[in-house]
Amino acid sequence: MKSHHDIWVMDKTDAGWSSPRHLPTSVNSDADEFYPMALKNGTLYFGSQRKGCNGVCDIYRAVPQKDSSYTVENLGAPINTAAGEYEPFVTEDEQLMLLAVTRRPDSVGEFDLYLSRKRADGKWGEPVNLGPEVNSPARELSPKLTPNSKYLYWASSRSPALLAKPEKRTTAQVLQDLHSPGNGVGDIYQIDVAVVPALKPPQ
């Protein structure tokens, strides 16, 4: 039997955390479910590679019901495309979404970060690439906004430390660089939202 990723939850109790609880089949499928984002009201956003996806992975929304079941919907276009959409971050008012995307025509790296805002009709707008202030030719993943929406945090596998070095280096220098930040394995980055044009609130 092929192993795959599922979404589990733990409940906070007076005695501490409960045992992990497997979410129902409306959320978990026989394919991979990735990177759940939980809002305070219990609504989940997550990526899934289940049958019926538009591409290699789509983003889904799951709303909890009184009987402990979930109503699950594929967000559809323009969020989900024939490319791959992963790792949604959604603000508590569900008006802004950040997502990691691979294989879109305007992507510059293996994974780029995009932004979508809710339209006046309540549907998600066309995702916008966050641009060179955030995205690089490497992988950009796990976007998160601070609660005051002032800073964006994300993970990147860019390798500025290695690329900036001169060609001739000693073995010791190479080993030091390979064990330092910017080695291409992955680091956490921060940026002020004010300097990212795509993140500025619409006028």
Side-chain angles (χ1 to χ4, degrees), residues 4-149:
H4 60 272
H5 298 88
D6 277 357
I7 298 174
W8 297 65
V9 299
M10 297 172 69
D11 302 304
K12 187 67 178 295
T13 69
D14 292 339
W17 290 102
S18 69
S19 297
R21 178 163 47 88
H22 189 253
L23 291 184
T25 54
S26 54
V27 174
N28 289 313
S29 69
D30 57 1
D32 284 322
E33 274 69 48
F34 298 104
Y35 313 113
M37 162 77 190
L39 302 182
K40 290 180 180 178
N41 63 9
T43 297
L44 294 175
Y45 284 83
F46 62 97
S48 176
Q49 294 181 329
R50 66 189 62 193
K51 184 178 179 180
C53 283
N54 296 280
V56 294
C57 185
D58 280 358
I59 293 175
Y60 288 76
R61 179 176 183 261
V63 179
Q65 305 300 308
K66 292 182 179 179
D67 62 357
S68 298
S69 66
Y70 285 82
T71 299
V72 180
E73 62 172 331
N74 183 309
L75 295 188
I79 295 295
N80 295 319
T81 68
E85 289 76 30
Y86 297 80
E87 296 198 271
F89 171 88
V90 181
T91 53
E92 284 293 335
D93 60 6
E94 296 187 81
Q95 295 298 304
L96 184 150
M97 179 190 298
L98 297 171
L99 60 156
V101 176
T102 184
R103 302 181 185 175
R104 284 206 183 195
D106 61 341
S107 297
V108 299
E110 188 175 355
F111 277 85
D112 276 13
L113 300 185
Y114 284 72
L115 164 75
S116 175
R117 297 183 187 274
K118 276 282 183 73
R119 304 187 311 225
D121 62 4
K123 297 182 179 180
W124 289 103
E126 182 70 37
V128 176
N129 190 297
L130 291 187
E133 293 82 7
V134 173
N135 291 314
S136 75
R139 287 186 172 198
E140 318 302 324
L141 299 166
S142 304
K144 301 289 186 293
L145 283 175
T146 53
N148 61 6
S149 297

Side-chain angles (χ1 to χ4, degrees), residues 119-179:
R119 304 187 311 225
D121 62 4
K123 297 182 179 180
W124 289 103
E126 182 70 37
V128 176
N129 190 297
L130 291 187
E133 293 82 7
V134 173
N135 291 314
S136 75
R139 287 186 172 198
E140 318 302 324
L141 299 166
S142 304
K144 301 289 186 293
L145 283 175
T146 53
N148 61 6
S149 297
K150 182 172 175 59
Y151 296 102
L152 168 69
Y153 289 86
W154 78 101
S156 177
S157 63
R158 66 188 71 186
S159 53
L162 298 182
L163 296 176
K165 299 294 183 180
E167 292 184 6
K168 292 183 178 180
R169 287 177 288 168
T170 65
T171 300
Q173 289 172 325
V174 171
L175 290 174
Q176 180 180 353
D177 293 338
L178 289 174
H179 290 86

